[in-house]
C-alpha cells in the first residue's frame, strides 16, 4: 500500500504527507479550527513547492478532502468559490486547447524571432514588453499558455535534432554530440530565463487594465470604472512600475544574477537556424494552408478578447471549432490531446478553491482587514497595499482582492469611507494583489500554471528556482509600487 501511495514520489515525501494528515486531526481537536486552518495553508504551499516530486493535485487534494471532512469549510461553500471563478476555469479548459491548435503558427513565428534576434537582452525585453502588452488587452493566463506552447515547441525542436543523426551545420560532427552536456544545460537556462521574463511581463501588463487579471474586473465593476477610466486610475502606479520592470530586466541580463543572462549557444543557434530553413522548404501545401487558418484564428482571438465579445473561455471554444473545422480535424482522438495540457491544472485550481473557501469560512484574514481599516485615512492605502501583497504571495491574489474589495465596499456603503478614499483603497488593493504576488507561484495563477505545466520539468524549473528568479522582480515591482502608493496616490 505504501509503495503505491503517491507512486514514485520519494519515501520522505510520502511520510511527510501521511504525517500532515495525522497531525491535522490532532491539531483540530487540541489547537482549534483557526490555527489548524493556518497549518493547512502552510501544508498546501508545501505541496505546491514540491510540484516536481508529486503533482500538487494529488497531495494537495488529500489535504482539501481532509479540510472538508474536518468541517473547516463545506462542499457548498467550495462550490460557491468555483462558481465565482467559473470564467477562469472555462478559460483554462478551452483557451489553452485553442492555442494548442495554433502551435505550428507560434513555432513558425518564434523560431524566426529566436534565430534572427541575436542579442539576448533585446530578446528578453521583447518577451517582457510583448507579454505585458498582450496581457493588458487579452489576459495573463492566455499569454502564459502561449509562452508555454512556444517553450515546449522550441524545446521539442532541440530534442528532435538532439536525438537524430543529422549534421545540419555541415561541420562533420553529429549535431546530437554538439547539443549534449553543457550546451543542453545552457539551452535550458536560456529558455528558462526567457519564459520567466515573459511571465513577469504578464503581471506588469495585467495590473494596468480592467481585463488583465480576473480581480481587476471585479474591482472595476464595484467602482463603476470602464476600460479607459480603470487605466487612468491605475497609471500613477502601473506606468512607473512597468519601466522599473524593464530596468530590472536589463540589470538581470547584464549582471547574470538570480539565474538570468544565459545566451542561446551559438552552435545551437546555427543548427536550429538550418533546421527551420529545411522545415520551411519541406512545408506542404496543406501545412501552408493550415498556417493561414491559424493566422486568421489568431486575429479573431485578438479581436474577440480586445472587444470582449464573450467570456474568454467561450472565445477559446469558438476558436477550437473554427480551427478544427477549417483544418479538417474531425476525429475525436486528434482533438483530445489539445485538452491534456490544461485539465490537470484546472483540477488543481478547483482543489485550491477548497482551501480558499476554508480561509473564507474561518475568517483568517479578517483581523488583518480590521487592523488596516483602523489606521488613519492617510496611511490606509499603504497598509492595504502591504497587507494585500503579503497575503497574495501566501494564498491567491484573486481571492485576496475579492475579500478586501467586498470589505471596503461594505465600509463605503455604511458611510465609513468617502468616495475618494474608497477609490484610493481600491487602487491599493489592485496593485497590492498584482505586483508583490509575483514573489511566489501560488500568488499568481499564471505562475502556478507555468510551474505545473509540461514545460517546467523540461527546463528544470522548480518552485525554488521560480521563487529565486522572481525575487528581484518582486522586490523592485513591490517596492516601486509601495513608493508610488505612499507618495503619488
Amino acid at each position: 500500500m505504501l509503495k503505491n501511495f503517491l507512486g514514485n514520489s520519494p519515501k520522505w515525501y510520502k511520510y511527510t504527507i501521511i504525517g500532515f494528515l495525522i497531525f491535522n486531526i490532532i491539531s483540530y481537536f487540541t489547537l482549534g479550527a483557526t490555527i489548524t486552518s493556518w497549518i493547512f495553508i502552510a501544508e498546501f504551499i508545501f505541496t505546491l513547492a514540491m510540484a516536481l516530486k508529486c503533482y500538487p493535485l494529488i497531495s494537495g487534494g488529500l489535504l482539501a478532502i481532509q479540510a472538508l471532512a474536518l468541517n473547516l469549510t463545506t462542499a457548498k461553500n467550495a462550490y460557491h468559490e468555483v462558481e465565482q471563478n467559473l470564467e477562469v476555469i472555462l478559460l483554462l479548459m478551452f483557451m489553452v486547447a485553442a492555442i494548442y491548435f495554433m502551435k505550428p503558427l507560434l513555432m513558425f513565428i518564434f523560431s524566426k524571432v529566436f534565430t534572427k534576434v541575436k542579442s539576448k537582452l533585446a530578446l528578453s525585453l521583447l518577451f517582457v514588453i510583448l507579454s505585458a502588452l498582450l496581457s493588458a488587452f487579452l489576459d495573463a493566463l492566455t499569454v502564459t499558455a502561449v509562452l508555454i506552447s512556444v517553450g515546449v515547441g522550441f524545446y521539442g525542436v532541440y530534442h528532435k535534432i538532439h536525438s537524430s543523426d543529422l549534421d545540419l551545420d555541415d561541420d562533420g560532427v553529429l549535431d546530437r554530440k554538439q547539443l549534449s552536456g553543457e550546451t543542453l544545460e545552457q539551452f535550458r537556462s536560456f529558455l528558462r530565463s526567457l519564459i520567466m521574463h515573459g511571465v513577469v511581463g504578464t503581471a506588469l501588463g495585467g495590473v494596468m487594465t480592467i481585463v488583465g487579471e480576473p480581480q481587476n474586473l471585479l474591482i472595476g465593476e464595484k467602482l463603476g470604472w470602464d476600460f479607459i477610466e480603470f487605466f487612468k486610475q491605475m497609471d500613477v502606479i502601473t506606468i512607473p512600475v512597468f519601466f522599473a520592470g524593464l530596468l530590472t530586466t536589463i540589470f538581470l541580463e547584464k549582471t547574470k544574477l538570480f539565474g538570468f543572462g544565459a545566451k542561446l549557444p551559438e552552435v545551437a543557434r546555427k543548427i536550429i537556424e538550418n533546421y527551420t530553413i529545411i522545415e520551411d522548404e519541406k512545408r506542404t501545401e496543406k501545412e501552408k494552408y493550415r498556417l493561414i487558418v491559424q493566422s486568421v484564428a489568431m486575429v479573431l482571438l485578438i479581436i474577440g478578447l480586445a472587444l470582449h465579445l464573450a467570456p474568454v473561455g467561450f472565445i477559446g471554444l469558438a476558436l477550437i471549432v473554427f480551427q478544427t473545422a477549417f483544418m479538417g480535424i474531425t476525429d475525436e482522438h486528434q482533438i483530445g490531446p489539445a485538452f491534456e495540457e490544461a485539465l490537470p491544472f484546472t483540477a488543481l485550481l478547483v482543489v485550491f478553491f477548497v482551501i480558499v473557501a476554508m480561509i473564507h469560512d474561518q475568517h483568517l484574514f479578517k483581523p488583518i482587514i480590521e487592523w488596516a481599516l483602523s489606521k488613519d485615512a492617510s496611511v490606509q492605502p499603504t497598509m492595504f497595499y502591504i497587507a494585500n501583497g503579503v497575503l497574495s504571495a501566501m494564498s491567491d491574489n484573486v481571492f485576496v482582492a475579492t475579500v478586501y474589495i467586498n470589505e471596503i465596499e461594505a465600509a463605503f456603503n455604511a458611510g465609513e469611507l468617502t468616495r475618494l478614499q474608497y477609490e484610493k483603497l481600491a487602487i491599493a488593493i489592485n496593485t497590492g494583489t498584482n505586483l508583490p504576488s509575483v514573489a511566489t507561484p501560488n500568488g499568481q495563477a499564471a505562475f502556478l500554471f507555468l510551474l505545473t505545466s509540461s514545460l517546467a520539468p523540461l527546463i528544470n524549473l522548480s518552485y525554488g528556482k521560480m521563487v529565486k528568479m522572481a525575487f528581484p522582480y518582486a522586490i523592485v515591482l513591490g517596492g516601486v509600487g509601495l513608493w508610488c502608493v505612499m507618495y503619488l496616490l
Side-chain angles (χ1 to χ4, degrees):
M1 187 173 162
L2 184 69
K3 204 174 177 183
N4 283 305
F5 180 69
L6 300 184
N8 295 325
S9 303
K11 257 189 181 163
W12 66 263
Y13 185 80
K14 296 182 182 190
Y15 288 130
T16 306
I17 297 298
I18 292 167
F20 283 170
L21 296 170
I22 295 167
F23 178 76
N24 291 341
I25 297 168
I26 300 165
S27 167
Y28 179 73
F29 289 109
T30 54
L31 302 174
T34 306
I35 293 172
T36 307
S37 299
W38 278 108
I39 292 167
F40 264 103
I41 293 172
E43 290 168 351
F44 190 74
I45 290 171
F46 171 81
T47 65
L48 296 177
M50 294 292 143
L52 296 182
K53 302 273 181 243
C54 170
Y55 193 69
L57 169 65
I58 297 98
S59 44
L62 289 170
L63 292 170
I65 291 167
Q66 191 178 41
L68 287 164
L70 292 173
N71 211 27
L72 295 172
T73 184
T74 63
K76 188 183 177 187
N77 291 354
Y79 181 74
H80 177 64
E81 289 297 333
V82 172
E83 223 172 11
Q84 282 193 311
N85 290 279
L86 185 61
E87 206 167 319
V88 178
I89 290 168
L90 288 175
L91 181 157
L92 284 164
M93 284 172 68
F94 299 130
M95 187 55 84
V96 177
I99 286 160
Y100 172 88
F101 291 110
M102 291 181 197
K103 254 187 192 165
L105 175 70
L106 293 171
M107 280 314 301
F108 176 74
I109 296 166
F110 278 91
S111 57
K112 298 279 185 286
V113 172
F114 276 128
T115 48
K116 294 286 185 285
V117 181
K118 300 279 195 286
S119 159
K120 172 70 190 305
L121 178 60
L123 205 52
S124 301
L125 286 170
L126 183 73
F127 262 63
V128 175
I129 294 166
L130 264 180
S131 297
L133 202 65
L134 289 170
S135 294
F137 290 99
L138 313 181
D139 70 278
L141 274 171
T142 305
V143 178
T144 307
V146 171
L147 286 171
I148 291 167
S149 277
V150 169
V152 169
F154 204 56
Y155 187 87
V157 168
Y158 191 98
H159 183 70
K160 199 173 182 180
I161 303 166
H162 183 237
S163 53
S164 69
D165 287 323
L166 298 169
D167 179 19
L168 293 168
D169 54 353
D170 299 321
D171 62 353
V173 184
L174 286 181
D175 293 336
R176 65 188 154 102
K177 287 186 178 171
Q178 291 174 289
L179 296 182
S180 298
E182 267 181 49
T183 313
L184 176 60
E185 279 316 304
Q186 194 184 332
F187 176 75
R188 278 180 171 148
S189 187
F190 161 78
L191 212 49
R192 192 164 56 232
S193 62
L194 271 186
I195 299 293
M196 279 304 289
H197 285 314
V199 285
V200 170
T202 66
L204 286 172
V207 66
M208 288 187 180
T209 64
I210 197 163
V211 296
E213 293 274 353
Q215 71 267 33
N216 301 17
L217 202 56
L218 178 74
I219 292 167
E221 279 173 5
K222 298 270 187 207
L223 282 107
W225 292 337
D226 60 13
F227 190 94
I228 305 292
E229 181 64 20
F230 188 96
F231 179 78
K232 280 183 183 167
Q233 291 283 358
M234 298 297 158
D235 65 8
V236 66
I237 297 163
T238 55
I239 302 295
V241 165
F242 175 71
F243 287 107
L246 293 183
L247 289 174
T248 310
T249 305
I250 295 167
F251 171 78
L252 290 171
E253 284 300 320
K254 288 288 183 193
T255 59
K256 297 181 165 49
L257 292 171
F258 296 97
F260 288 97
K263 292 182 164 67
L264 177 62
E266 198 47 49
V267 59
R269 180 196 303 281
K270 214 174 263 178
I271 290 166
I272 291 168
E273 215 165 39
N274 290 342
Y275 175 81
T276 51
I277 290 166
I278 292 167
E279 284 295 295
D280 287 349
E281 286 167 358
K282 279 197 325 193
R283 194 167 284 115
T284 64
E285 287 304 313
K286 187 181 180 181
E287 286 169 335
K288 285 176 188 171
Y289 164 74
R290 284 187 167 189
L291 282 180
I292 295 166
V293 173
Q294 289 157 26
S295 305
V296 173
M298 188 68 88
V299 172
L300 292 174
L301 167 70
I302 293 165
I303 293 168
L305 289 175
L307 300 178
H308 300 283
L309 300 177
V312 183
F314 283 12
I315 294 171
L317 183 56
L319 290 177
I320 292 170
V321 174
F322 171 79
Q323 288 180 96
T324 50
F326 285 93
M327 292 196 296
I329 298 169
T330 54
D331 287 340
E332 189 182 347
H333 70 267
Q334 284 180 292
I335 298 166
F339 294 90
E340 282 172 14
E341 175 71 55
L343 277 182
F345 179 69
T346 311
L348 172 62
L349 211 58
V350 174
V351 166
F352 190 50
F353 292 141
V354 176
I355 304 296
V356 169
M358 178 194 75
I359 294 171
H360 195 258
D361 286 359
Q362 299 303 323
H363 309 292
L364 299 187
F365 295 168
K366 201 163 180 63
I368 305 165
I369 295 169
E370 285 169 354
W371 166 78
L373 276 172
S374 69
K375 296 289 174 192
D376 183 63
S378 60
V379 293
Q380 271 182 7
T382 308
M383 292 301 156
F384 266 74
Y385 179 89
I386 294 168
N388 276 272
V390 172
L391 294 174
S392 292
M394 278 167 52
S395 58
D396 162 58
N397 58 2
V398 179
F399 165 69
V400 174
T402 307
V403 171
Y404 270 82
I405 198 73
N406 287 338
E407 290 290 335
I408 65 159
E409 185 190 30
F412 173 68
N413 291 337
E416 293 165 28
L417 296 174
T418 62
R419 172 71 193 186
L420 183 65
Q421 188 67 2
Y422 182 34
E423 287 183 356
K424 280 185 178 180
L425 292 182
I427 294 166
I429 290 168
N430 182 57
T431 50
T433 51
N434 274 308
L435 298 172
S437 58
V438 300
T440 63
N442 26 302
Q444 295 244 0
F447 279 56
L448 193 58
F449 186 31
L450 173 61
L451 177 71
T452 56
S453 71
S454 57
L455 177 63
L458 299 180
I459 58 174
N460 290 345
L461 186 62
S462 62
Y463 188 99
K465 223 168 242 175
M466 212 166 181
V467 170
K468 177 190 161 187
M469 293 178 86
F471 178 74
Y473 277 116
I475 294 296
V476 173
L477 307 190
V480 173
L482 179 61
W483 186 87
C484 292
V485 169
M486 287 166 77
Y487 299 107
L488 302 180
L489 191 57

